[in-house]
Amino acid sequence: MYGKLYSACLYGIDGVMIEVEVDLSSGIPQTHVVGLPDSAVREAVDRVRAAIKNCGYTFPLQRVTINLAPADLRKEGTAFDLAIALGLLISSGQVALPENERILIIGELSLEGALRPVPGVLPMVDLARRHGFHSVLVPEGNVPEALLLDGITVYGLSHLNQLSPEGMGSRGSRGTEDSLILESLAHLQRSPLPPSSEPSTNAHGLSKPPENYSDVLGQRHIKRALTIAAAGMHNIMLIGPPGTGKTMLIRRLPTILPPLTSDESLEVTKIYSSASIFNPSETGLITERPFRAPHHTISGGGMVGGGSIPKPGEVSLAHRGVLFLDELPEFSRQVLEMLRQPLEEHRVTISRSRASFTFPARFLLATSLNPCPCGFSGAEPPQPVCTCNPYRIAQYREKLSGPLLDRIDMHVEVPRPTNWQNDTSPLSSEEMRFEVEKAEQIQLHRYRNQGISRNSELSGSALRRYAKLHPDAGLLLKSSFDALGLSMRAHDRILKLSRTIADLDGCPEILASHVAEAIQYRHLDKRSHDTMF
């Protein structure tokens, strides 16, 4: 007696198809699970045995072999419980499923046979849809998440005994009854989310107060820099003494970012689903760009991801959105240096003894920092006098390496605001977002066949092709390159920044004025390392 069903597991943030094969043969009653199972998968046998018994079925008193294929891929988690249980019941003739319907089966069993939700259902259902499956059978608690995807029927199961025609103690029979049982479990359409009067929520479901750049008086040149950063998804650093509004300005950055496209929305939602911090009943697919602001005590694993079963870190949770590091030098140097690979390659690879996991990490890095530990180095009256000695200042600055700073497109000095009382019509988020979306449409049209969407993603021949300089602009960039001793990376980032400024001006060619403005945003390139603040 042999049966085969399909289940799935997470591999990074993607689903992987797993064949669950069950073989019953004569011999001493014993059960073996093969195919590189971890401890949670091996323990599934005890959960399944108790669930089958407590639902009125009979656990086969035979030699049972359960194979999880492909055999060379390590299997982790509890998502195979339901497939293993159904494989045993089908092989022993106690339950039948329609033979003409390909069903992906996911779920964790309790000892009484109740189904518990599992993390990462969205990427698994997306996998089934792409592989031509007709339907998925998931725990009732995972139904709202599975229903986020079109093109596949979702069956929600709350208890194992629902698969028998008359409830606990009955036996299923082959034929039309099997289809009728599944139809009674089907969720054929999305249920609209109820309207809420609560404040808007972010991807965590946490309350997010309304914010707008109209709350910030003055600082128009900083708002201009943030508009450029948002338009091209350029990394930005704000440098200035305490109280100048650095944190307040960056925290309002999501209000000017365009919404996620449908593909980006699915991609981001899959990351949050795999990290078990996604509530589909409240948010549906994530449509707003993520905004992550980890504390400076974060570990390296928390920043880039890790663990015995690797989970996405903050750089992946900020994918297609903003990663905000407030008071940058307060983070450990080791953690900051880990950002170099994702900033350059837009992904993170975590290697383990049996596998390597790759997580996407294409984000806008926004940082803020003071010029010294007390914050008033170089300040002029009436600001307080700096109290830091040279050793403390050097220790504070050495956390930021040259290669890391080179990967940040914009270094903008934020001075103490003056005459802010006279700003009677401050620039609002709506006005800034209009400019950002206008530049975004230009970029989407320009790169529609290139596999990229923003100027910050340009590299190599594509950068030379799309960032064409007016002769005067070329001369200005060359003279600046020689005078400031720029690296080639800094040169290319100025070029990409100039392309975005030109897009905001609606200009197909990069002019000298665009290059000049881009160079003005490279504050740290204009000073030596010893006096970079």
Side-chain angles (χ1 to χ4, degrees), residues 432-479:
M432 297 167 67
R433 184 167 180 162
F434 176 79
E435 296 295 321
V436 169
E437 291 181 342
K438 183 175 67 174
E440 180 200 32
Q441 291 305 313
I442 293 173
Q443 294 170 75
L444 291 176
H445 178 74
R446 180 191 297 134
Y447 306 130
R448 60 190 180 279
N449 298 320
Q450 302 300 316
I452 61 176
S453 59
R454 296 294 187 277
N455 291 327
S456 59
E457 301 171 29
L458 286 170
S459 62
S461 59
L463 178 62
R464 308 293 177 253
R465 177 181 175 185
Y466 293 110
K468 293 182 179 179
L469 294 168
H470 186 274
D472 291 344
L475 289 174
L476 176 59
L477 183 57
K478 183 181 184 304
S479 61

Side-chain angles (χ1 to χ4, degrees), residues 46-222:
D46 297 317
R47 291 192 297 273
V48 168
R49 180 183 285 111
I52 287 177
K53 180 192 69 175
N54 290 328
C55 287
Y57 297 106
T58 301
F59 191 89
L61 294 177
Q62 296 171 276
R63 182 181 179 87
V64 179
T65 303
I66 301 167
N67 180 43
L68 304 178
D72 60 345
L73 179 70
R74 187 165 183 81
K75 319 304 185 304
E76 298 166 332
T78 58
F80 307 114
D81 288 11
L82 182 57
I84 291 173
L86 290 181
L88 288 167
L89 295 176
I90 291 170
S91 299
S92 58
Q94 302 179 69
V95 165
L97 294 177
E99 297 180 357
N100 60 346
E101 187 170 4
R102 296 185 72 197
I103 306 175
L104 186 74
I105 301 170
I106 305 165
E108 176 186 340
L109 279 170
S110 71
L111 298 185
E112 65 159 343
L115 269 293
R116 294 188 174 122
V118 296
V121 161
L122 187 67
M124 297 183 203
V125 175
D126 184 49
L127 171 77
R129 186 178 63 165
R130 289 186 283 107
H131 279 72
F133 277 72
H134 303 105
S135 55
V136 292
L137 180 60
V138 299
E140 192 71 33
N142 287 128
V143 166
E145 186 174 345
L147 285 174
L148 294 174
L149 297 174
D150 289 319
I152 192 165
T153 302
V154 177
Y155 299 119
L157 190 66
S158 60
H159 203 282
L160 189 60
N161 60 24
Q162 286 180 271
L163 290 174
S164 62
E166 299 174 4
M168 185 178 293
S170 300
R171 299 291 178 265
S173 59
R174 298 185 184 277
T176 58
E177 281 186 342
D178 309 321
S179 298
L180 292 174
I181 292 169
L182 284 181
E183 286 175 10
S184 69
L185 303 173
H187 296 259
L188 299 177
Q189 61 183 4
R190 290 183 174 88
S191 298
L193 297 177
S196 174
S197 59
E198 297 297 319
S200 59
T201 57
N202 60 17
H204 293 278
L206 301 177
S207 177
K208 182 176 66 176
E211 297 175 345
N212 197 296
Y213 276 111
S214 60
D215 302 330
V216 183
L217 301 180
Q219 303 290 30
R220 283 189 170 254
H221 66 296
I222 308 300

